[in-house]
Amino acid sequence: MIKINWKPIKNSSTPIYKQIVNYFKTKIGNGEWPVGSSIPTQRKLAQIFEVNRSTIVSALDELKAEGILEGRGKGGTKIVSRFLPYISNSQPNWHSYIEDGIHIPNFKTIKQINNLELQNNYIRLSTGEASPDLFPKEKMSIILNEVSKSINNLGYEGPNGMLYLREQISKYLRSYGIKASTSSILIVSGALQAIQLISIGLLQPGATVFLEKPSYMYSLKIFQSMGMRRCGIEMDDEGIKASLISGYKKKNKPSILYTIPNFQNPSGNVLSLNRREELIEICQKEKLPVIEDDVYRELWIDKPPPRTLKSMDNSGLVLYVGSVSKTLSPGLRIGWIVGPQPVIERLADIKMQTDYGSSSLSQITVAKWIETGLYQEHLEYLRKQLCIRRMVTIEALEKYFSDIAKWNVPSGGYYIWLSLTYPLNMHRLFDEACKIGILMYPGYIYDSDSNQNLRISYSYASIEDLEKGLYKLSQLIRKLKQS
C-alpha cells in the first residue's frame, strides 16, 4: 500500500480533484509509486486529503480514464502500466523483489501504530519510551556543552566502538556485579541491533530461540527472517519457568535462550532471585547460551531488581545487552553487548560490515552522561516520575476497569499487562480504538494465546491523557461487549 503525506491546497486556483490527479501522476512518474501498487480506499483517501468523498471519486475516475489506475471492489484499485509506457518498459517488478526479500514484513497492527504515532491527535498508551515531558533538557545542554569542548574529530571508531564509552560502561556495570573489560564490550545502535547481530552472527537457519511466553520478540520478525524457530516457555509470577528448559532443549538443537528478566515486555514481570539461580544452573548444565536483555533494569520503582544473570555467570554463557533508549533517549541509538571476547570480535566484524560503527557523537554524549554522574541523577528523577504515572494509571484502572479486567501492579518498567474478564474481538477493539484516538498494543502480537490481553504503557502519554485515554478505552470495551 502506498504512503501519502500530502494534502491539497484548499484556496488554490487549481481544483482540488485536479491537484490530487497531478499528485498521483507526479508520484508515479518519478518512480516513487511502482506499477502494481495498491492505493487506499476512497474513504481512506478522503480522510487523508481531508476532502469530500465525491472529490476523490472525480480524481480517481480521471486517473482510470487515462489508464493510470485500474480495478475496484474487493481486489482494490492499483496503479497499472498503461500510463507513461517508458516506465512500464524500464521499471523492475519491485513487488516481486519485495515479496522475495529475506526479511518478513512486520505485523499490520505494529505498522499501523508506527504510522499513527507520528500524528499528534492520538493518546499513546502504546509507546514504550519516556514522555517528552521527562526529557532532561537542562542536563542535556550541560552534557552537549562538555561534548563540544571534547570533540577533535568525528571519524570512524574502532570495531568495538569508542574506547572512552566502553571504559565508562565497564565501570558502570561493576555496580551490577558485572566484570567486563573494554575488549569484551561492543557498542551497538540500540538493543535491537544487538539481537540482530547475534541472530546473523551466531545462529544458523533451523536453530531454536527459547523465549518467554508472551514476549516482545513475538512482535518482531528478526528470528523468523533468519530461518529460526521461536519456542515460548511459560511464565508464572516468578518469571520464566526454568525447570522446563531442559525438556525443550532435548527436542531443539541448536538453540539459545532470550529473556527480559526485569520488568518484562509486555507482562512487567521480574524474574525472582531463586528463579535466576535455577535458570543459570540449568543453562550451564545444558550449555545453553543466554541473551539477557536488560534494558529496563534501571526503571525500578519500588526496589532494585535482583542480581543480573551475567553477574551469576562464571562460564561465559550469558550475552548481556544494555541500552540508554529506555532510560535517556531512544534517538541516541546507543546500546551495548557484553560477552566472551571471541564472540564480541565476531559481532564487531559484522557490525563494521553493516554500518561501520554507531554515531561517534552519540557515543561521546552517552559517555559524558555516565562519567559526570548526571546519568544517575536523571535515573533518580525518572523513577520518581514513573512512580507518579504508575499511581495515576492504577487509580484509573481501578476506577474504570475493575469489573472488566484484571492486572498486576508492576514494580517498575513502563507496562501494565491487562487481562479482560470476558471474550472480545481484539482486532476489532484495536481498530475501533484507533478511530477514537487511542493507541494501545493488543496481546495477540506478543503471543497468539494472549487474545484477551492489552499492553498499557504509562510512560509516554501525559498525566491528563492517561486518565482520559483509559476512560475512553473502558467505554469502548463496554460498548463492544454489548454489540
Side-chain angles (χ1 to χ4, degrees):
M1 186 73 71
I2 61 175
K3 188 174 181 179
I4 299 172
N5 54 9
W6 169 89
K7 288 180 173 53
I9 301 172
K10 298 294 179 68
N11 58 357
S12 172
S13 58
T14 303
I16 291 178
Y17 89 93
K18 196 68 177 178
Q19 293 182 52
I20 295 173
V21 169
N22 293 337
Y23 174 70
F24 268 69
K25 288 182 176 180
T26 299
K27 287 293 186 179
I28 298 167
N30 63 22
E32 288 186 59
W33 293 353
V35 170
S37 298
S38 297
I39 70 169
T41 63
Q42 293 178 5
R43 179 178 297 177
K44 186 65 177 178
L45 287 172
Q47 292 175 351
I48 294 172
F49 293 139
E50 298 178 354
V51 299
N52 294 327
R53 194 168 175 179
S54 59
T55 303
I56 298 298
V57 172
S58 298
L60 297 186
D61 283 348
E62 181 166 326
L63 290 165
K64 289 176 182 178
E66 293 187 31
I68 298 171
L69 300 180
E70 184 177 80
R72 65 181 63 207
K74 293 183 179 179
T77 302
K78 295 184 177 182
I79 299 169
V80 293
S81 59
R82 293 198 300 273
F83 170 64
L84 298 179
Y86 72 87
I87 291 181
S88 61
N89 293 333
S90 62
Q91 188 181 83
N93 185 349
W94 284 117
H95 290 281
S96 175
Y97 280 89
I98 291 169
E99 291 173 0
D100 293 340
I102 190 173
H103 210 289
I104 300 172
N106 214 336
F107 275 107
K108 177 184 176 183
T109 299
I110 296 177
K111 290 194 288 186
Q112 188 171 343
I113 288 178
N114 289 340
N115 288 327
L116 294 178
E117 283 185 334
L118 299 176
Q119 301 180 24
N120 295 324
N121 54 336
Y122 284 89
I123 296 177
R124 292 163 59 171
L125 302 179
S126 55
T127 307
E129 65 181 86
S131 168
D133 297 338
L134 304 180
F135 182 73
K137 294 180 182 179
E138 294 183 4
K139 287 185 173 62
M140 184 62 84
S141 295
I142 295 172
I143 291 297
L144 293 179
N145 185 51
E146 290 297 313
V147 168
S148 67
K149 297 176 183 178
S150 305
I151 293 177
N152 294 317
N153 69 79
L154 287 175
Y156 294 121
E157 301 295 337
N160 283 35
M162 184 179 288
L163 177 60
Y164 172 37
L165 175 56
R166 287 184 285 126
E167 289 173 341
Q168 297 306 315
I169 291 173
S170 177
K171 294 176 184 176
Y172 186 74
L173 291 177
R174 290 174 196 168
S175 63
Y176 298 143
I178 298 175
K179 298 177 182 178
S181 65
T182 56
S183 57
S184 64
I185 299 173
L186 170 64
I187 305 303
V188 291
S189 298
L192 189 56
Q193 187 185 51
I195 297 165
Q196 290 172 324
L197 291 173
I198 291 169
S199 298
I200 62 177
L202 304 179
L203 305 179
Q204 57 185 309
T208 298
V209 181
F210 301 125
L211 30 78
E212 292 115 343
K213 181 181 174 70
S215 172
Y216 160 69
M217 289 309 298
Y218 275 107
S219 71
L220 301 177
K221 305 294 185 179
I222 296 174
F223 298 131
Q224 286 175 292
S225 296
M226 296 297 110
M228 300 159 206
R229 295 172 293 176
R230 300 170 301 179
C231 180
I233 299 179
E234 293 182 0
M235 294 191 294
D236 56 22
D237 290 341
E238 291 191 69
I240 190 170
K241 294 182 178 179
S243 61
L244 301 178
I245 291 175
S246 295
Y248 282 110
K249 175 72 163 51
K250 291 177 183 178
K251 301 176 184 178
N252 299 276
K253 295 181 180 180
S255 50
I256 194 170
L257 171 68
Y258 170 84
T259 180
I260 307 175
N262 298 313
F263 319 118
Q264 196 252 5
N265 183 3
S267 70
N269 280 3
V270 174
L271 191 65
S272 70
L273 179 58
N274 288 339
R275 193 63 59 82
R276 290 173 195 239
E277 292 172 344
E278 180 185 11
L279 186 148
I280 287 294
E281 181 180 352
I282 290 173
C283 289
Q284 288 178 339
K285 179 181 178 181
E286 297 291 340
K287 296 183 179 180
L288 177 67
V290 178
I291 304 171
E292 181 180 12
D293 188 342
D294 209 19
V295 298
Y296 296 100
R297 161 170 284 275
E298 293 146 322
L299 300 177
W300 58 268
I301 296 174
D302 298 329
K303 62 180 180 179
R307 293 174 57 192
T308 63
L309 297 173
K310 185 64 177 174
S311 68
M312 302 177 180
D313 172 29
N314 55 17
S315 56
L317 63 85
V318 176
L319 300 177
Y320 183 84
V321 176
S323 168
V324 297
S325 292
K326 302 301 180 183
T327 55
L328 184 57
S329 172
L332 288 169
R333 306 309 307 136
I334 294 295
W336 49 87
I337 310 174
V338 178
Q341 289 185 21
V343 173
I344 294 301
E345 289 176 5
R346 164 67 169 159
L347 301 183
D349 175 55
I350 297 173
K351 179 168 172 59
M352 290 297 281
Q353 295 182 55
T354 304
D355 63 10
Y356 234 82
S358 300
S359 163
S360 297
L361 185 58
S362 291
Q363 290 190 63
I364 192 172
T365 299
V366 174
K368 287 290 184 183
W369 268 100
I370 298 174
E371 183 182 40
T372 59
L374 290 179
Y375 185 53
Q376 278 294 348
E377 290 184 14
H378 169 66
L379 289 175
E380 292 173 6
Y381 167 77
L382 182 59
R383 292 181 194 121
K384 292 177 182 177
Q385 296 303 311
L386 288 176
C387 183
I388 295 171
R389 288 168 167 272
R390 182 187 65 174
M391 178 185 68
V392 169
T393 303
I394 295 300
E395 288 178 351
L397 289 176
E398 291 174 347
K399 187 175 180 181
Y400 305 125
F401 284 81
S402 59
D403 61 331
I404 59 175
K406 297 179 180 178
W407 61 89
N408 291 323
V409 179
S411 57
Y414 284 163
Y415 314 116
I416 293 177
W417 190 233
L418 209 63
S419 299
L420 299 183
T421 54
Y422 51 80
L424 203 66
N425 185 322
M426 301 302 286
H427 291 272
R428 185 182 176 192
L429 174 60
F430 172 77
D431 290 337
E432 294 298 322
C434 289
K435 291 178 182 178
I436 62 172
I438 305 293
L439 296 180
M440 51 78 189
Y441 276 124
Y444 60 75
I445 68 172
Y446 302 108
D447 175 16
S448 58
D449 294 334
S450 298
N451 207 29
Q452 296 306 126
N453 295 87
L454 306 174
R455 193 198 76 174
I456 300 296
S457 169
Y458 54 83
S459 64
Y460 189 88
S462 67
I463 299 292
E464 179 183 354
D465 278 350
L466 282 172
E467 167 88 17
K468 179 181 177 182
L470 288 170
Y471 169 73
K472 292 176 68 176
L473 184 59
S474 70
Q475 294 298 104
L476 175 61
I477 291 172
R478 295 176 198 281
K479 177 182 176 182
L480 294 179
K481 178 186 177 184
Q482 296 173 357
S483 61

